[in-house]
Amino acid sequence: MTSFELIILTVAGLIAGILAGFLGIGGGTVLVPLLVALGYTPVEAVATSSLSIVITAISGSIQNWRMGYLRLNQVIGIGFPAILTAQIGVFLAELFSSRLLLFLFGCLLLLNVYLVELRKQITTRKKQQEEQQVSESTIFPNQNILFNPVFARILTGGTAGILAGLFGVGGGIIMVPLQILLLGETIKIAIQISLGVIVITAISACAGHAIQGNVLWSQGIILGVGGLLGAQISTRFLPKLSDQTVSLMFRIFLVILSIYIFKQAWIQS
């Protein structure tokens, strides 16, 4: 490993950690494309990203716990099904081509832009209803929780686990909007819960990839140490930001990243 690569990995880990705390994602959306650009295979990038995410998510979750923002019951309820489904994602990562993986990843990012916007519309209707002092159950019955809460948590965690194993992400990229839509959480609470669940999904995915011999331990630890610092920074500032600001940051990030991912998929041989 060259000195230049060491610097790049450290800086990338720092950026991923900041995104983890602000947006409730593991940071793999940044790390996987970077590792591929550095010459590692897609499977190695996915596996190594999972190791880094373990370190980053633990750091951010500890900070949230110290500040009283970590809800352990919700984290466990969503994280348990993710343990099993992460192994399904690891299996699929071995089967899919690099082009297909990148294309599906870009589609996933664009889908989440829509989900966050949909939640914004629902929230606006709720505020209007409160101003008119009309019972929420009269006009918009059960609009906050579209499914049974237990089923919603299983769906959220199970989906996140598959994404963790398949794409090398913590799963927050889908957990945040699903919590908002299915469980009625605010975006900041959804982010804080998501970061805790990512600890579980990343450990499961990393273990699965380690068994396959795909994890690059030195690179993953370097990325994780940088992410540890970044997560500490961002989790301290998240509670001070408005829901509107965080939501806007989340959507802008998804749009920019989806454009980049589709470009990478196009140039794959």
Side-chain angles (χ1 to χ4, degrees):
M1 183 188 307
T2 65
S3 298
F4 175 75
E5 184 176 348
L6 177 61
I7 295 174
I8 292 296
L9 291 173
T10 303
V11 173
L14 179 64
I15 294 174
I18 292 175
L19 291 175
F22 273 138
L23 305 178
I25 64 177
T29 48
V30 174
L31 300 180
V32 172
L34 171 68
L35 289 168
V36 171
L38 290 175
Y40 301 109
T41 66
V43 173
E44 289 176 335
V46 167
T48 305
S49 173
S50 297
L51 172 59
S52 170
I53 289 170
V54 170
I55 301 173
T56 301
I58 289 176
S59 171
S61 294
I62 289 176
Q63 183 61 38
N64 279 334
W65 174 71
R66 288 176 176 174
M67 299 173 69
Y69 298 126
L70 186 63
R71 302 185 176 188
L72 291 178
N73 289 337
Q74 287 90 330
V75 169
I76 295 173
I78 296 174
F80 181 75
I83 296 176
L84 302 177
T85 57
Q87 302 310 310
I88 298 176
V90 171
F91 174 76
L92 293 176
E94 298 283 345
L95 297 180
F96 290 176
S97 67
S98 298
R99 174 174 288 185
L100 179 59
L101 282 174
L102 291 173
F103 176 77
L104 292 176
F105 198 11
C107 293
L108 175 66
L109 294 175
L110 290 181
L111 173 63
N112 277 275
V113 174
Y114 166 74
L115 293 176
V116 173
E117 179 60 29
L118 179 61
R119 171 59 190 183
K120 180 181 178 182
Q121 295 174 5
I122 294 175
T123 301
T124 300
R125 288 194 299 173
K126 285 177 58 179
K127 291 180 178 179
Q128 292 175 348
Q129 181 183 0
E130 290 172 358
E131 291 175 357
Q132 296 171 359
Q133 296 184 345
V134 177
S135 172
E136 189 170 290
S137 61
T138 302
I139 296 183
F140 302 118
N142 300 322
Q143 69 172 13
N144 281 335
I145 301 179
L146 303 182
F147 298 94
N148 177 278
V150 175
F151 175 78
R153 291 187 177 93
I154 293 175
L155 176 62
T156 301
T159 303
I162 292 177
L163 296 179
L166 179 59
F167 294 120
V169 300
I173 202 73
I174 193 69
M175 273 191 289
V176 172
L178 282 183
Q179 286 183 82
I180 291 172
L181 287 171
L182 303 184
L183 296 170
E185 301 287 6
T186 66
I187 188 167
K188 284 193 288 188
I189 291 177
I191 286 173
Q192 290 157 353
I193 294 174
S194 173
L195 193 55
V197 177
I198 286 172
V199 175
I200 300 174
T201 62
I203 289 176
S204 179
C206 183
H209 281 294
I211 293 174
Q212 300 295 327
N214 297 326
V215 179
L216 303 173
W217 296 98
S218 297
Q219 288 84 346
I221 292 174
I222 292 171
L223 289 169
V225 171
L228 188 151
L229 177 59
Q232 292 296 317
I233 295 173
S234 56
T235 50
R236 292 177 183 273
F237 284 98
L238 176 62
K240 301 178 182 179
L241 299 176
S242 67
D243 285 357
Q244 182 178 6
T245 299
V246 177
S247 179
L248 178 61
M249 291 171 56
F250 192 44
R251 296 200 304 273
I252 292 175
F253 171 76
L254 292 175
V255 171
I256 293 175
L257 191 58
S258 65
I259 294 173
Y260 172 76
I261 290 296
F262 281 128
K263 179 181 178 181
Q264 291 297 106
W266 177 263
I267 64 179
Q268 286 289 319
S269 59

